[in-house]
């Protein structure tokens, strides 16, 4: 019988792994594939609702209350709030001391100031490491060569130097991946494959933003002509 040396878990879908590891004194680290701990605020902003409203709904659910009491008793952690405290961030107890986030900090959902201060006071850190694709990416979509990537960023740098706006469009790693149901050749239960969905989005982006009339992706306007020289002074 061997115990694990480390538990890596999803804090959104598998928080029970964290609670079990804590109870068994096994080190653990969360792997958050949402865009940072601010993802809850982004979700409420796009679909409505609020953290306070969700907490209220959880607290008035008697079956959930009994479940929380059972968890507290089972693992001997009576102080667990488990999303019933309005003064604490949602799912904060599902995070551990170090949490890996699979995006970069500049693309993370904004974390409100109160939650940011709470996590800092509790010593919970979020390490933004970017997509964990590995050396051999699990993808069916054709990957760009090093030369193509270098040429792409050369155009981006030239556009930035000319004060042109740069638009970044990403379809992520799911619909471009090799998962049979949700990947490049999968349909996710719809009428479109991942490939068709990506091509439709990119086609729309270029159609809307890449025309000659577009102020975004079209060439920048020529610089204004230099001012005309001042006329010579009148003769004395």
């Amino acid at each position: 019988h061997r115990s694990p040396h480390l538990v890596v878990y999803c804090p959104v879908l598998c928080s029970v792994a964290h609670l079990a590891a804590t109870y068994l004194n096994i080190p653990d680290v969360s792997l958050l594939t949402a865009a940072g701990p601010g993802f809850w605020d982004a979700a409420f902003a796009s679909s409505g609702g609020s953290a306070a409203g969700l907490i209220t709904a959880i607290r008035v659910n008697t079956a959930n209350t009994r479940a929380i009491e059972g968890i507290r008793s089972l693992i001997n952690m009576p102080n667990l709030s488990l999303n019933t405290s309005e003064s604490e961030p949602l799912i904060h107890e599902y995070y551990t001391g170090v949490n890996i986030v699979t995006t970069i900090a500049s693309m993370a959902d904004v974390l409100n100031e109160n939650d940011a201060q709470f996590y800092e006071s509790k010593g919970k850190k979020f390490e933004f490491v970017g997509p964990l694709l590995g050396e051999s990416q699990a993808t069916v979509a054709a990957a760009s060569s090093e030369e193509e990537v270098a040429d792409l960023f050369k155009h981006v740098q030239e556009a930035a130097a000319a004060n042109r706006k740069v638009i970044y469009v990403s379809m992520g790693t799911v619909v471009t991946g090799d998962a049979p149901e949700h990947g490049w050749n999968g349909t996710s239960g719809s009428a479109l494959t991942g490939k068709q969905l990506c091509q439709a989005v990119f086609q729309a982006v270029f159609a809307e933003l890449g025309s000659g009339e577009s102020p975004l992706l079209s060439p920048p306007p020529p610089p204004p002509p230099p001012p005309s020289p001042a006329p010579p002074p009148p003769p004395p």
Side-chain angles (χ1 to χ4, degrees), residues 19 55 57-85 93-94:
L19 298 177
I55 290 172
I58 292 174
R59 293 173 64 176
V60 299
N61 186 307
T62 55
N64 193 79
T65 300
R66 289 196 299 269
I68 291 176
E69 292 173 350
I71 293 172
R72 291 169 175 164
S73 175
L74 180 64
I75 61 178
N76 194 27
M77 297 179 69
N79 295 323
L80 284 176
S81 65
L82 295 177
N83 304 315
T84 59
S85 172
E93 290 168 325
Y94 302 169

Side-chain angles (χ1 to χ4, degrees), residues 131-204:
L132 301 180
L133 298 177
E135 295 183 1
S136 58
Q137 300 179 8
T139 180
V140 177
S144 300
S145 66
E146 292 185 8
E147 292 77 12
E148 290 172 327
V149 171
D151 183 64
L152 170 63
F153 278 94
K154 176 176 177 291
H155 288 295
V156 171
Q157 292 165 356
E158 290 174 349
N163 292 321
R164 294 173 61 193
K165 292 184 177 179
V166 177
I167 298 175
Y168 172 68
V169 181
S170 172
M171 297 300 291
T173 59
V174 176
V175 295
T176 60
D178 60 358
E181 295 183 5
H182 308 292
W184 193 243
N185 296 316
T187 62
S188 296
S190 71
L192 294 177
T193 64
K195 176 181 179 181
Q196 291 169 327
L197 176 62
C198 290
Q199 290 177 336
V201 170
F202 296 142
Q203 183 179 10

Side-chain angles (χ1 to χ4, degrees), residues 74-106:
L74 180 64
I75 61 178
N76 194 27
M77 297 179 69
N79 295 323
L80 284 176
S81 65
L82 295 177
N83 304 315
T84 59
S85 172
E86 295 184 3
S87 63
E88 299 172 345
L90 284 170
I91 74 169
H92 75 91
E93 290 168 325
Y94 302 169
Y95 297 125
T96 185
V98 178
N99 306 275
I100 298 173
V101 186
T102 58
T103 189
I104 57 176
S106 61

Side-chain angles (χ1 to χ4, degrees), residues 99-121:
N99 306 275
I100 298 173
V101 186
T102 58
T103 189
I104 57 176
S106 61
M107 297 186 67
D109 291 327
V110 177
L111 182 63
N112 68 71
E113 185 176 348
N114 288 338
D115 288 0
Q117 291 177 352
F118 178 90
Y119 287 124
E120 183 177 0
S121 68

